[in-house]
Amino acid sequence: MRTDGLSFDRIPPLATPLGYFLLAPLFGLLAALILVAQPAMLEQRWLGASLAATHLLALGFGAQIMLGALYQVMPVVTGQPLSQHARLPRLIQLLLATGTLALATGFMTAAPVAFSLAAIALPLALLLFVGCWGTALWRVHPLGESARVLRLAAVGLIGAGGLGLHQALYHAYPSLIGYAGELTDAHLLWASLGWVVMLVMGVSLQVIPMFHVTPALPRWIAQFAAPALLAMLFIATLWPPSRAVALLLSALLTGAYAIAALNALAARKRKRIDYTVRLWQLALCHLLMTALALGASAAGIQLTSLAGPVGVVFGIGFMLSVMLGMLQKIVPFLIYLHLQRACLGDPMAMMALPNMQDLLPTQTQRRQWQLQLLTLLLLYLSYVPGMIELTGRLAGVAAAANFIYLGRALWRARQRFYAALPTA
Amino acid sequence: MGSIQTYMTAGHRQCDDSYTSAENAVSAQNWSEADSAWQQFATELEHHLGQEEQLLFPAFEQQTGNTQGPTAVMRMEHEQMRALVADLSGALQARDSDRFLGLGETLMVLMQQHNMKEEQILYPMTDQVIGNSSELVTRLDAF
Ligand SMILES: [Fe+2]
C-alpha cells in the first residue's frame, strides 16, 4: 500500500490559517457597520445593504474562516493536507477578499463593473481552492465518515459558487443574462445547507465526540442524512414540481442532525465550563430553528415576514456561533503546537511554554460568548414592532464589538506566540 | 478478536474516560480522587503508547517499508504528550487547579487530534496491510 502520499506532519505554517483568521473579523466589522447605518436591512432581504452585509458575512467572514480552518483540519481528519505550493493559500485569500469587497461594493452602488470584478475574482478563488481541496479529498484513503461528508460539502460549495456566479453575471450584464428569481433561492439554499451545514456536519462528526468526550454521533448522519440532504438540494433545484417536498425533507434532515448533535453534547462527560460547548449548543439550537422555519415555509405556511429573522438565526445564531467556538480551540492549539515543535528536545523550554489557556484566556472566551449573546438578543429585539431603528442600530454596534473583540483576541494570541518563540 | 481499529479505538476511549474523571475531580477540588484518577489515566496512557510503539508501529513499518512516514510523526506526538503529562503531574502535586486545567485542555486537544489521525487513517490502514490483524490484536492485548 502506498503510504508516501500520506502526511500527518505537513501541518501548515502558522501564517496560513492565522492569516485567514485575522482578516475575517474585518469583513464582519464592515457588515456590522452597514447594519448600524441601515437597520432597515434586517427586514428587507432585497435591499442593497442587506445583500452587501450578507455577503460580507458569508464570504468575507464565514468562508475566510472555513477555508483557513480546512488548511488545519484536513491533515488531521483525513491525512491529506491542502497544497501549500506557490503561495496558493495567499493567492486564494487575496482573490476571495478582493472578490468579496467588489461584490459588496456592487450591491451598495449597483455598479456593473464591481459585479464584473467579483465575477472574475470569486470564481478564480473557488476554482483554485476547490482544485486543492478536491485533490486532497480525492486522495483520502481509507475513506472515513468525516471525509465522506466533506466530499459532499465540496460539491455543495461548487453548487453555491456556480449559482452565485450566475447572479453576479446578471448584475454585471443584465441585458445579456436573464434574471431568474428561483435561482437566487437556490443559491441561498446551496450556500447554507449544501456548503455551511454540510461542512459543519462533517467536521462535527469527529470534533464533538472527541474533544468533549461525548458518545459518538449516530452513524446515519454520515451514511444517510448527509447524502440525502445533498440529493434533496439537487432535486429542489433541477426539478421544480418536487421543490416543496424536497425542501421539507431537507428541513427534516437538518433538524434531525441538530437534535442528534445536541443530544450527544448533553451526554458529555467533561464537566468543566467550556465556552466552545456553549457556542456549539447555541449554534445547534439555531440550526434547529432554521430547520423549523424552512420546513414551515415548504409546508406552505406563509412566512414571508420571517425571511429577515431566519437569515439572522442562520447567519449569526448558527454560523457565527460555530465559528467562534471552533476558533477558541483551533487558534490556541495551533500556536501551542508550533511552539512545542520549536522546543522539542529542550525540556526546560517546554516547561515554560504558555499552554492553550495562557494563549487564549478563559476570561476572553467568556467575554466573546457574552458579546455573541448580546448581539443575538439585540437582533431579536429589532423584530419587535417599532423597535428596529433603535435596537437594529444597537445590534450593529454589539456585532461590531463582537468582531473587534475577536480580532483583538486573535491578534493577542499571535503576539504571545512571537513572545514565547525560543530565540535560538 | 476483532480488528486493530476496534481494539485500539476502545483504548483511546478508555483513556478519555479516565482523563475526564481526573479533570472533573480537579475542577471540584477533590484532590484525593484527582490523584487516583490521574494515576489511572497516566498508567493507561503509557500502556497504550507502549502498545503502539513496540508492537503496532513496528508491524506497520515492516509491512509498508516506511519508517520515516506516519509512524515517525506519531512517535514524535507521543513524546509531546509525555512532556505535557509530566507538566500536569507537577501541577497536580502543587494543587494548582488553574494550571492543571490549562495544561489539561492542551493535552486533550493534542491527544484528540493525534487519535483522529490514528482512528481515521493509521488503524484502518494497518488492518489492511497486515494479513492477520486478529493475531496482532491478541499480542496487543497481552502487552
Ligand atoms: Fe498513538
Side-chain angles (χ1 to χ4, degrees):
Chain A
M1 176 179 295
R2 289 174 58 90
T3 55
D4 49 316
L6 183 67
S7 169
F8 286 161
D9 199 39
R10 263 181 279 162
I11 55 170
L14 185 61
T16 298
L18 211 55
Y20 280 84
F21 299 157
L22 282 166
L23 192 60
L26 284 176
F27 287 93
L29 180 61
L30 282 178
L33 293 178
I34 294 180
L35 175 58
V36 175
Q38 290 208 44
M41 68 177 243
L42 286 174
E43 284 178 340
Q44 288 161 317
R45 179 179 163 190
W46 302 114
L47 224 54
S50 322
L51 293 166
T54 305
H55 287 85
L56 285 167
L57 195 68
L59 288 171
F61 183 82
Q64 195 100 229
I65 301 260
M66 288 184 266
L67 264 54
L70 278 170
Y71 278 99
Q72 167 61 19
V73 166
M74 279 295 289
V76 174
V77 174
T78 68
Q80 294 294 340
L82 297 176
S83 168
Q84 299 279 332
H85 276 297
R87 303 192 177 193
L88 266 176
R90 279 291 155 276
L91 179 61
I92 292 170
Q93 185 181 19
L94 185 73
L95 288 167
L96 176 61
T98 313
T100 306
L101 285 177
L103 190 61
T105 311
F107 283 125
M108 295 299 275
T109 63
V113 61
F115 285 108
S116 312
L117 180 57
I120 296 166
L122 290 173
L124 265 177
L126 179 80
L127 272 178
L128 288 174
F129 182 76
V130 171
C132 296
W133 193 25
T135 312
L137 283 170
W138 183 259
R139 289 198 186 128
V140 176
H141 177 84
L143 191 62
E145 281 198 339
S146 271
R148 206 172 301 182
V149 180
L150 290 181
R151 282 186 176 177
L152 304 177
V155 177
L157 177 59
I158 296 170
L163 289 160
L165 175 60
H166 179 272
Q167 310 286 308
L169 288 175
Y170 159 74
H171 286 291
Y173 310 102
S175 52
L176 294 179
I177 312 270
Y179 181 72
E182 68 279 3
L183 285 184
T184 320
D185 285 340
H187 169 59
L188 183 62
L189 210 59
W190 278 80
S192 52
L193 298 183
W195 156 238
V196 180
V197 171
M198 200 67 88
L199 182 67
V200 170
M201 229 187 236
V203 173
S204 72
L205 286 175
Q206 288 293 312
V207 165
I208 288 185
M210 298 190 77
F211 289 141
H212 306 298
V213 191
T214 75
L217 294 184
R219 299 192 69 104
W220 54 255
I221 294 177
Q223 287 176 344
F224 170 72
L229 180 58
L230 193 68
M232 288 308 128
L233 296 185
F234 271 109
I235 293 174
T237 312
L238 298 176
W239 194 36
S242 67
R243 199 180 133 80
V245 178
L247 288 186
L248 194 62
L249 289 173
S250 307
L252 271 175
L253 293 164
T254 306
Y257 158 73
I259 290 172
L262 279 168
N263 256 332
L265 280 168
R268 79 187 179 283
K269 290 186 185 151
R270 290 180 88 189
K271 294 289 178 248
R272 69 187 295 175
I273 294 170
D274 185 334
Y275 290 96
T276 300
V277 173
R278 295 193 181 181
L279 285 161
W280 264 121
Q281 290 170 324
L282 185 69
L284 290 163
C285 288
H286 280 90
L287 185 60
L288 191 56
M289 285 157 67
T290 309
L292 287 173
L294 177 66
S297 78
I301 301 167
Q302 281 304 317
L303 291 173
T304 32
S305 65
L306 272 185
V310 173
V312 166
V313 165
F314 184 84
I316 307 293
F318 172 68
M319 188 188 81
L320 180 55
S321 300
V322 173
M323 316 264 110
L324 289 175
M326 300 285 282
L327 285 176
Q328 293 191 344
K329 294 278 186 236
I330 290 186
V331 170
F333 173 68
L334 265 182
I335 293 180
Y336 179 82
L337 196 65
H338 283 273
L339 283 176
Q340 214 197 22
R341 298 258 162 116
C343 302
L344 218 59
D346 181 355
M348 287 312 287
M350 199 106 101
M351 284 286 282
L353 284 183
N355 63 49
M356 279 175 62
Q357 237 161 62
D358 301 327
L359 292 164
L360 190 70
T362 312
Q363 167 81 357
T364 308
Q365 302 187 6
R366 183 184 314 125
R367 285 270 152 75
Q368 192 81 64
W369 157 255
Q370 289 164 342
L371 280 169
Q372 171 69 353
L373 287 183
L374 180 68
T375 306
L376 276 169
L377 180 71
L378 287 167
L379 282 169
Y380 290 143
L381 284 177
S382 309
Y383 293 104
V384 175
M387 295 285 276
I388 195 164
E389 274 297 317
L390 175 65
T391 52
R393 271 185 229 281
L394 286 178
V397 174
N402 204 357
F403 288 116
I404 291 172
Y405 195 76
L406 174 67
R408 174 179 165 276
L410 298 178
W411 185 257
R412 287 204 166 178
R414 180 185 176 276
Q415 301 300 85
R416 290 188 181 110
F417 169 75
Y418 285 108
L421 205 60
T423 38
Chain B
M1 289 245 187
S3 63
I4 289 162
Q5 158 95 323
T6 314
Y7 179 79
M8 295 302 283
T9 303
H12 285 162
R13 295 297 163 269
Q14 197 180 340
C15 288
D16 294 347
D17 283 355
S18 307
Y19 171 77
T20 304
S21 308
E23 186 185 75
N24 289 346
V26 171
S27 303
Q29 309 267 335
N30 186 343
W31 296 109
S32 62
E33 197 184 310
D35 281 332
S36 68
W38 179 252
Q39 197 51 53
Q40 189 186 342
F41 164 73
T43 313
E44 281 173 10
L45 180 68
E46 197 47 57
H47 179 251
H48 179 82
L49 301 183
Q51 285 177 317
E52 294 182 342
E53 290 166 357
Q54 295 179 35
L55 295 171
L56 195 141
F57 295 170
F60 180 87
E61 288 159 357
Q62 206 184 8
Q63 291 298 319
T64 59
N66 186 352
T67 55
Q68 294 310 305
T71 50
V73 182
M74 296 290 102
R75 287 178 200 273
M76 176 177 69
E77 290 190 348
H78 287 182
E79 288 316 311
Q80 292 178 282
M81 281 151 65
R82 287 188 174 107
L84 270 169
V85 168
D87 279 2
L88 273 149
S89 298
L92 184 62
Q93 266 162 28
R95 301 297 187 235
D96 186 343
S97 58
D98 278 351
R99 184 164 166 78
F100 182 95
L101 294 173
L103 287 166
E105 178 63 22
T106 313
L107 172 66
M108 197 59 181
V109 176
L110 180 68
M111 195 161 76
Q112 296 306 338
Q113 63 96 36
H114 173 85
N115 293 353
M116 280 179 200
K117 292 187 268 198
E118 292 181 341
E119 292 173 22
Q120 294 293 308
I121 306 136
L122 195 74
Y123 296 161
M125 246 179 165
T126 311
D127 271 318
Q128 285 183 17
V129 294
I130 293 187
N132 186 357
S133 14
S134 66
E135 186 266 337
L136 181 60
V137 171
T138 313
R139 280 196 292 140
L140 285 166
D141 203 40
F143 179 79

